[in-house]
Amino acid sequence: MIKHQLYNILALTAILFAVMACEENEDFLAFEEANSNITIEGYPAYAAEFSLLDQVVLPVKAPGAQEIQVIREVTYTPAGADDAVEISETLATLSGPEATLTSSIAEITKNPENLPPSELGAVSLLFQVNVNGQTSFRRFDLEFFDPLTVEAPEEAFNDSTILVKYALDNENATISNVSVFLRDTTQGEFSTTPLKTFTSTEDSLEVVIPAEAVVAPGGDI
């Protein structure tokens, strides 16, 4: 019991000395607010998912900054390697204090291995400004998704007709057309001429399942 009280006394004494030190020196462990608080309009979490068809469009504000440097940071693992590699290089330099970054996903994610975004470890953009000799940073994390979804029956009979639906989820991309091609056997090639070409981001078409002479029961199209 006496030993426990002695520890408490020593702890309180240490705290008291720390408080006195802070009072004597007001700059002790002082933290100052950055001269420029970088914000990205519409993305308070500083992270977002983008369709693989989209452009990355980010409105940036950095009060007091004449320039906003944007650095792309990409982590990937080369084929056959155990350790990841990180790319860190300037993507763009924008005129501040307000600007909009517009970039293709291919430009942001390009890498020597030509790995698609789905095979990269991490992708982010680092926004950096210098105001009154002080540098401020803001990291923005990106993830990507396949914008195309297709609905069709898992099984069908030969010589029957099925309905296939598709939809594209995109925001900043302009879709000129969507073409649908047929491959009537697993090992075959896709048709050179599309079954149908659409100009809308959501539609459906009827597909005639080939006869048994073309695709035997249990086969795939």
Side-chain angles (χ1 to χ4, degrees):
M1 182 66 177
I2 295 175
K3 185 177 181 181
H4 179 69
Q5 289 179 343
L6 180 59
Y7 284 156
N8 287 341
I9 292 172
L10 291 175
L12 289 172
T13 303
I15 293 173
L16 179 61
F17 278 124
V19 172
M20 291 174 63
C22 289
E23 290 178 350
E24 292 175 0
N25 185 2
E26 293 181 356
D27 294 331
F28 181 66
L29 291 179
F31 291 90
E32 296 181 0
E33 185 177 350
N35 282 345
S36 182
N37 181 29
I38 304 171
T39 58
I40 301 176
E41 187 177 348
Y43 299 96
Y46 299 103
E49 281 190 319
F50 291 91
S51 155
L52 289 172
L53 291 177
D54 283 331
Q55 292 264 61
V56 173
V57 180
L58 300 175
V60 187
K61 292 183 180 180
Q66 294 184 349
E67 290 186 343
I68 304 172
Q69 185 180 20
V70 187
I71 301 169
R72 70 183 191 99
E73 297 183 335
V74 178
T75 301
Y76 69 97
T77 302
D82 295 326
D83 298 326
V85 176
E86 181 175 309
I87 298 172
S88 181
E89 63 182 24
T90 299
L91 175 68
T93 301
L94 310 175
S95 297
E98 296 185 19
T100 297
L101 172 70
T102 301
S103 176
S104 68
I105 291 173
E107 188 67 22
I108 293 173
T109 63
K110 69 178 180 180
N111 57 88
E113 299 285 315
N114 292 320
L115 296 174
S118 59
E119 296 182 21
L120 298 176
V123 179
S124 60
L125 296 174
L126 183 66
F127 294 85
Q128 175 179 307
V129 300
N130 190 288
V131 177
N132 297 329
Q134 185 180 34
T135 303
S136 301
F137 303 90
R138 178 70 72 184
R139 177 171 275 100
F140 189 96
D141 297 323
L142 300 97
E143 292 186 359
F144 308 102
F145 63 91
D146 187 340
L148 178 65
T149 56
V150 179
E151 295 182 16
E154 292 185 5
E155 296 181 339
F157 295 102
N158 293 99
D159 294 314
S160 65
T161 300
I162 63 172
L163 186 67
V164 179
K165 299 179 181 180
Y166 76 88
L168 281 170
D169 182 0
N170 65 290
E171 293 184 9
N172 302 319
T174 300
I175 307 301
S176 58
N177 61 72
V178 178
S179 296
V180 182
F181 297 83
L182 175 69
R183 183 174 65 184
D184 56 18
T185 62
T186 303
Q187 302 300 324
E189 299 293 333
F190 282 101
S191 59
T192 56
T193 302
L195 293 178
K196 192 169 183 178
T197 298
F198 301 91
T199 56
S200 58
T201 58
E202 185 174 352
D203 214 320
S204 64
L205 75 159
E206 292 183 341
V207 177
V208 178
I209 305 300
E212 285 189 29
V214 178
V215 181
D220 297 310
I221 68 168

